[in-house]
Amino acid sequence: MDRLSATPAHEHFAGYLGLLEADRRGKGGLHRSRDIKDFHQRYLTVAGLKTSSPFFSPVRNPDAGEVKPFNKNVAGSYAPSSLRPDGPFMAAVDVKGKGQGVTYSLMPDHANVASGSMLGGKRVQAVALAAYLFRDYGFEERSLQAVLDTFRDRFALRAHHTDESATFAALFDPSLDGFADEDLVPLAQDAA
């Protein structure tokens, strides 16, 4: 968490991740706010937070002050009326339509644009982000490399796909330094 919270990231980077994942799930290149909301529900929901703000993203803008949970109105936060036309999200994502008809699609060269506009040119430590996103899920293999490989597969960042690998390289630091396989907690049934 310390490494991720020190990463300079715009709050809408979470929505961008949701679109990457939706692309990988074969939902085509045209997405709805539901895809972004599904990402929040699947990976950013934190038990114990208020129902009005149930999501927490570990990557944030360190200049924004205290890290605050994200409100439940994900669709409203990503509505065209809430997004700045010259803002970081719309630099990498083409947002069209209004109301229930709003669509989102990744722009050409979106990764390099997102790196500059949402990450300030820094890269997010991939395994730390993956550990946070998958904290409620188990893995068959207890290794950091398996967690990283799952992240790359789940978010269309696979090493054997040239375009996906370039996206990964623009946005994420693949280093496992500072972590060990033993940092992963065995499931209760495995620990016995």
Side-chain angles (χ1 to χ4, degrees):
M1 285 296 291
D2 291 341
R3 293 180 193 204
L4 292 174
S5 63
T7 303
H10 189 272
E11 67 178 350
H12 286 140
F13 186 67
Y16 174 76
L17 287 174
L19 296 176
L20 287 177
E21 187 202 30
D23 267 1
R24 176 64 178 106
R25 286 187 288 130
K27 300 201 80 175
L30 204 56
H31 306 292
R32 302 284 184 174
S33 64
R34 181 74 190 164
D35 296 311
I36 298 171
K37 184 176 181 181
D38 286 349
F39 169 82
H40 281 70
Q41 290 176 328
R42 195 169 20 260
Y43 297 113
L44 302 181
T45 300
V46 174
L49 293 178
K50 295 179 182 176
T51 55
S52 60
S53 300
F55 308 117
F56 182 82
S57 176
V59 291
R60 65 173 185 98
N61 181 348
D63 297 329
E66 179 185 353
V67 179
K68 296 180 180 175
F70 198 71
N71 75 67
K72 69 178 182 181
N73 185 11
V74 174
S77 296
Y78 287 89
S81 59
S82 297
L83 298 168
R84 291 185 17 227
D86 60 344
F89 185 77
M90 291 184 77
V93 178
D94 187 22
V95 182
K96 292 184 176 172
K98 58 184 180 179
Q100 298 294 323
V102 175
T103 60
Y104 304 82
S105 58
L106 298 172
M107 300 255 226
D109 199 31
H110 61 85
N112 288 317
V113 172
S115 172
S117 67
M118 287 192 261
L119 301 176
K122 307 264 183 183
R123 296 189 301 165
V124 176
Q125 190 167 35
V127 75
L129 179 61
Y132 180 79
L133 296 178
F134 300 143
R135 67 195 180 283
D136 293 332
Y137 301 91
F139 295 90
E140 291 183 18
E141 180 184 337
R142 186 180 170 199
S143 79
L144 294 171
Q145 189 61 53
V147 172
L148 184 58
D149 290 347
T150 299
F151 172 73
R152 292 186 73 150
D153 182 60
R154 197 75 58 89
F155 288 86
L157 303 165
R158 297 169 289 184
H160 58 280
H161 289 256
T162 304
D163 57 334
E164 293 180 14
S165 187
T167 297
F168 180 83
L171 299 168
F172 300 101
D173 174 357
S175 172
L176 302 178
D177 293 346
F179 298 100
D181 291 343
E182 292 72 28
D183 293 336
L184 300 171
V185 178
L187 294 174
Q189 62 189 18
D190 294 339

